[in-house]
């Protein structure tokens, strides 16, 4: 099943209902494109998979127990330092865009409470997991993107994080049926209805 923006909204709600307020107990990186967070609440614990695989990017709870490398990757060690023991304080999705931001609060070496955000972007081969500090600057990412890889949007430590460009489509959460029909009228004349829906509505996949 395609993980489109509408389905992602339900996953976001599941995360909020089950794990909001949970603490990060463990962080694992079984391979270069996936992270597994163990989150513990007062009554339960959950494993949260964050994947940036091109053909199966996703974020959801899992029973998957990863076989971790003997030496953790550098990013995994960084996340353990920044987010070990952190509290999950928010889960955010802009309309039906295919990105979810996990907002955390953690104590630094000085004992100060520091907020930071972990963004999972689900966009095919451009999928990524990006750690952002309180000032909106990138701390690091599963996939660093430099000028040789993209001239549109760089993803490198120290740069300001910029959200993926929004789709020029209507969002079902805040538009009316009339607005949808009006937007589809010019498209549906020479294309199938299904294509017109895809080109009009945000967060909807072909399936």
């Amino acid at each position: 099943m395609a993980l489109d923006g509408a389905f992602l909204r339900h996953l976001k709600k599941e995360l909020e209902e089950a794990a909001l307020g949970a603490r990060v107990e463990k962080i694992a990186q079984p391979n270069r494109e996936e992270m597994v967070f163990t989150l513990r609440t007062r009554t339960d614990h959950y494993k949260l998979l964050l994947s940036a695989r091109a053909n199966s990017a996703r974020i959801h709870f899992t029973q998957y127990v990863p076989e971790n490398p003997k030496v953790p990757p550098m990013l995994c060690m960084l996340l353990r330092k920044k987010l070990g023991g952190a509290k999950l304080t928010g889960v955010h999705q802009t309309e039906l865009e295919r990105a979810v931001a996990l907002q955390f609060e953690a104590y630094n070496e000085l004992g100060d409470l520091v907020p930071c955000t972990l963004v999972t972007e689900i966009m095919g081969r451009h999928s990524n997991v990006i750690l952002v500090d309180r000032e909106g600057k990138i701390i690091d990412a599963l996939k660093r993107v430099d000028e040789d890889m993209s001239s549109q949007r760089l993803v490198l430590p120290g740069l300001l994080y910029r959200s993926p460009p929004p789709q020029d489509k209507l969002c079902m959460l805040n538009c009316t049926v009339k607005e949808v029909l009006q937007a589809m009228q010019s498209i549906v004349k020479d294309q199938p209805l299904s294509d017109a829906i895809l080109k009009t509505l945000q967060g909807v996949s072909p399936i």
Side-chain angles (χ1 to χ4, degrees), residues 25-88:
E25 187 174 71
K26 295 179 182 178
I27 302 175
Q29 187 179 352
N31 56 67
R32 62 193 298 263
E33 295 183 311
E34 292 183 334
M35 310 288 304
V36 178
F37 280 61
T38 300
L39 303 173
R40 182 170 292 278
T41 67
R42 291 183 179 181
T43 58
D44 212 339
H45 71 278
Y46 305 90
K47 291 188 183 300
L48 180 65
L49 174 67
L50 294 80
S51 175
R53 289 182 179 272
N55 61 347
S56 59
R58 59 205 190 277
I59 175 172
H60 58 77
F61 292 127
T62 181
Q63 298 300 316
Y64 170 52
V65 179
E67 184 176 339
N68 296 309
K70 292 182 180 179
V71 179
M74 291 295 292
L75 178 61
C76 183
M77 291 193 290
L78 174 66
L79 287 171
R80 288 175 180 176
K81 178 182 177 182
K82 296 288 186 181
L83 296 178
K87 180 180 180 180
L88 180 63

Side-chain angles (χ1 to χ4, degrees), residues 14-193:
E14 182 182 46
L15 276 168
E16 286 179 319
E17 292 177 347
L20 204 60
R23 297 280 180 181
V24 177
E25 187 174 71
K26 295 179 182 178
I27 302 175
Q29 187 179 352
N31 56 67
R32 62 193 298 263
E33 295 183 311
E34 292 183 334
M35 310 288 304
V36 178
F37 280 61
T38 300
L39 303 173
R40 182 170 292 278
T41 67
R42 291 183 179 181
T43 58
D44 212 339
H45 71 278
Y46 305 90
K47 291 188 183 300
L48 180 65
L49 174 67
L50 294 80
S51 175
R53 289 182 179 272
N55 61 347
S56 59
R58 59 205 190 277
I59 175 172
H60 58 77
F61 292 127
T62 181
Q63 298 300 316
Y64 170 52
V65 179
E67 184 176 339
N68 296 309
K70 292 182 180 179
V71 179
M74 291 295 292
L75 178 61
C76 183
M77 291 193 290
L78 174 66
L79 287 171
R80 288 175 180 176
K81 178 182 177 182
K82 296 288 186 181
L83 296 178
K87 180 180 180 180
L88 180 63
T89 58
V91 184
H92 180 72
Q93 178 191 19
T94 301
E95 295 185 337
L96 295 180
E97 296 290 349
R98 290 185 298 167
V100 168
L102 304 177
Q103 297 161 335
F104 292 96
E105 285 185 347
Y107 289 98
N108 63 13
E109 298 88 344
L110 301 176
D112 297 323
L113 197 59
V114 179
C116 58
T117 303
L118 192 64
V119 185
T120 302
E121 299 178 348
I122 300 169
M123 304 181 298
R125 64 187 180 90
H126 299 295
S127 299
N128 210 341
V129 178
I130 306 168
L131 182 64
V132 181
D133 68 15
R134 65 191 305 171
E135 297 175 348
K137 291 183 178 180
I138 297 169
I139 299 174
D140 213 338
L142 268 181
K143 300 177 184 178
R144 294 185 179 183
V145 181
D146 59 24
E147 293 179 349
D148 293 333
M149 302 167 68
S150 173
S151 60
Q152 303 296 319
R153 182 171 175 259
L154 304 183
V155 180
L156 294 170
L159 297 182
L160 280 174
Y161 172 76
R162 292 189 298 139
S163 300
Q167 295 177 307
D168 186 21
K169 297 180 181 180
L170 295 175
C171 176
M172 291 184 285
L173 302 176
N174 52 32
C175 69
T176 65
V177 173
K178 184 177 180 180
E179 288 172 328
V180 174
L181 292 175
Q182 288 176 340
M184 289 174 55
Q185 280 180 349
S186 59
I187 302 174
V188 77
K189 292 178 181 177
D190 49 14
Q191 294 188 38
L193 178 59

